[in-house]
Amino acid sequence: MSNDLLRFEDEYLARYYSKKPINVVRGYMQYVWDSNNNKYLDMHTGFGVAFLGHRNPRIINAIKDQLDRIITVPLTFYNEARAEFIREFMRIVPSSFGKVFLQNSGTEAVEVALKIARKISKKAEFLAFLNSFHGRTMGSLSVTGNEKYRKAFEPMPYKVRFAPFNAVDQVDKLVTEDLAAVIVEPIQGEGGVNPAKPEFLRALRQVTRERNVLLIFDEVQTGFGRTGRVWAFENYGVEPDIFTAGKSIAGGLPIGVAVVRREFGDVFEPGEHGSTFAGNPLVMAAAKAGVEVLINDNVPERVRAVGDRFMRVLEDELNGSKTVLRVKGMGLMLGVELRKRADPYIDRLIGMGLLTSVAGGTTVRLLPPYCITDEDLDMAVRALKNALSDSS
Ligand SMILES: *Cc1c(COP(=O)(O)O)cnc(C)c1O
């Protein structure tokens, strides 16, 4: 950017994202504005973080109230904001789950899930899937099935076997008794918005149970209402032993959680795990308000209605296009898979006032907030139709 201030980002901020040339200064619910006061409909939402809207008023009020009390309290002391979050969160977790681990990001939630699996199973190896994404720290990266993210950092610390996603007929062969756990996203997000087949998750559940292998669902992107149920696994009627969540829970503040089945109890002894910022009252107050929004606004129900309409209109309007291979996804986690790289189209959409992200190289990923209106959807579909209309 030529701007005198923003050039500091180019000069001194280590580069590991390719950047779009807009300076985002403000957001409210499903919209953001740049420094030229251009308004955008946000279906990027920071990789899904702003699912409850930017600066959702209920979450902002909760954060402001908490700022006047205290921001940091370690997990070595009690705190009411934390206890309130836990109380509310357990209302949206199936009763077979009994303990929550608090972290500060999705990758940390995955890290603790892997540690839990190793501690419970006393085994070392994992099975994960091609095209999966579980985070950037070394443990999460070990189970991420994409060369692009891993290559520069090999060898990985964990021993992991990768299997084709959705290959139902290979589950019996690949899930062996020597595994600590199988980790899978119910819908692959970064890998291209690929929903698991119901029979795939059912087979994984059946075989892991038979062979005493733990099953981890990574719901960091799919969780918290995004797919039309609070948890994506509820669409499938398949429960894991451990699941992770993150991204949207605290309305934009950093958070990650892992949840384990009741029978596993506390898992760790004091000292075996910890995190300085985890469970801090500011994030907890935001996350408690996040759960309240989810419940009071009937977010999953709304997502099913809006998401079904969005999917239908996208299919009607785009499936004739030469550029489009298919429309896929679930709820408000949708992808338009193209016959070529998605990046140039994503740039073109920015110029049309629509923010999206790329997934799996060729998919335009749409992760809108739950509060988008029919008018927003129509605008988005018009923009997509225009952007994808010529085959340049
Ligand atoms: C985003 C994501 C992560 C990593 O979350 P961070 O907060 O970026 O560490 C892990 N798993 C899945 C499925 C994700 O989508």
Side-chain angles (χ1 to χ4, degrees):
M1 294 283 275
S2 50
N3 178 308
D4 270 352
L5 176 62
L6 300 179
R7 74 180 174 82
F8 284 103
E9 283 203 32
D10 289 332
E11 276 185 43
Y12 299 113
L13 177 64
R15 181 206 57 199
Y16 35 82
Y17 280 94
S18 58
K19 257 186 186 148
K20 309 296 183 191
I22 61 170
N23 173 22
V24 180
V25 293
R26 193 161 56 88
Y28 186 71
M29 297 310 277
Q30 66 270 49
Y31 308 113
V32 299
W33 287 262
D34 70 14
S35 46
N36 297 321
N37 211 27
N38 295 311
K39 181 184 177 185
Y40 301 87
L41 176 59
D42 192 4
M43 297 200 179
H44 186 302
T45 52
F47 306 101
V49 167
F51 172 60
L52 299 178
H54 290 276
R55 292 192 302 121
N56 186 303
R58 275 227 282 293
I59 296 170
I60 293 301
N61 286 334
I63 292 172
K64 284 180 175 165
D65 285 348
Q66 189 58 44
L67 278 174
D68 288 333
R69 296 198 177 96
I70 191 162
I71 297 173
T72 187
V73 174
L75 289 170
T76 46
F77 299 114
Y78 287 92
N79 173 262
E80 285 179 2
R82 188 189 301 137
E84 281 181 0
F85 165 68
I86 299 286
R87 183 188 65 202
E88 295 307 298
F89 187 72
M90 291 317 283
R91 290 175 62 195
I92 58 165
V93 167
S95 59
S96 40
F97 294 88
K99 294 283 180 182
V100 177
F101 296 73
L102 296 173
Q103 303 287 152
N104 313 291
S105 66
T107 196
E108 284 178 58
V110 171
E111 292 285 346
V112 75
L114 300 175
K115 284 173 79 176
I116 292 164
R118 292 190 73 160
K119 173 107 200 261
I120 293 175
S121 70
K122 303 189 178 66
K123 294 173 202 161
E125 249 181 272
F126 294 93
L127 180 73
F129 295 92
L130 297 172
N131 258 324
S132 63
F133 182 84
H134 298 293
R136 311 281 192 165
T137 52
M138 291 300 272
S140 307
L141 199 55
S142 297
V143 289
T144 288
N146 190 327
E147 280 289 299
K148 184 175 69 176
Y149 305 129
R150 300 161 50 97
K151 210 172 172 162
F153 312 104
E154 283 172 345
M156 291 286 125
Y158 288 178
K159 213 168 157 212
V160 181
R161 280 178 268 157
F162 290 99
F165 186 67
N166 272 337
V168 185
D169 54 339
Q170 296 192 37
V171 168
D172 186 56
K173 184 182 73 197
L174 294 166
V175 180
T176 48
E177 279 164 8
D178 57 329
L179 292 171
V182 176
I183 181 165
V184 65
E185 296 155 272
I187 302 172
Q188 291 188 330
E190 299 303 309
V193 193
N194 307 314
K197 291 181 190 159
E199 56 273 28
F200 178 62
L201 294 189
R202 280 200 296 269
L204 285 177
R205 179 67 285 183
Q206 191 192 329
V207 179
T208 50
R209 193 169 279 144
E210 283 167 10
R211 304 197 180 148
N212 209 13
V213 172
L214 293 163
L215 181 60
I216 304 169
F217 285 169
D218 182 353
E219 292 249 15
V220 170
Q221 195 160 144
T222 53
F224 215 63
R226 171 66 71 191
T227 67
R229 304 276 168 200
V230 178
W231 308 109
F233 64 75
E234 294 173 300
N235 290 300
Y236 290 91
V238 177
E239 276 190 4
D241 299 302
I242 306 167
F243 68 92
T244 58
K247 291 207 162 91
S248 63
I249 294 180
L253 294 189
I255 190 168
V257 301
V259 185
V260 303
R261 293 183 81 82
R262 206 171 274 287
E263 62 258 34
F264 299 130
D266 287 313
V267 186
F268 297 129
E269 297 304 318
E272 284 184 338
H273 189 65
S275 170
T276 301
F277 290 116
N280 73 78
L282 190 66
V283 170
M284 292 289 100
K288 180 211 164 202
V291 178
E292 284 172 352
V293 170
L294 186 88
I295 294 172
N296 296 340
D297 287 2
N298 295 317
V299 167
E301 198 180 309
R302 203 190 144 88
V303 165
R304 282 200 298 282
V306 189
D308 285 354
R309 174 164 183 269
F310 198 9
M311 176 76 124
R312 230 179 17 251
V313 181
L314 284 171
E315 280 177 336
D316 287 351
E317 296 291 326
L318 300 180
N319 269 346
S321 157
K322 271 192 301 196
T323 321
V324 176
L325 196 59
R326 65 172 78 90
V327 177
K328 52 191 180 171
M330 197 185 284
L332 285 176
M333 182 169 176
L334 298 173
V336 181
E337 187 176 348
L338 311 182
R339 294 178 195 279
K340 43 182 107 172
R341 314 280 319 160
D343 264 319
Y345 296 96
I346 284 165
D347 293 347
R348 202 179 287 178
L349 287 166
I350 294 174
M352 296 172 170
L354 179 65
L355 303 186
T356 62
S357 55
V358 64
T362 53
T363 294
V364 178
R365 176 174 39 172
L366 308 168
L367 296 173
Y370 82 102
C371 51
I372 46 161
T373 63
D374 283 350
E375 277 176 2
D376 293 327
L377 288 192
D378 292 340
M379 176 271 172
V381 173
R382 263 198 317 276
L384 282 158
K385 203 175 172 183
N386 283 334
L388 298 169
S389 65
D390 75 37
S391 49
S392 59

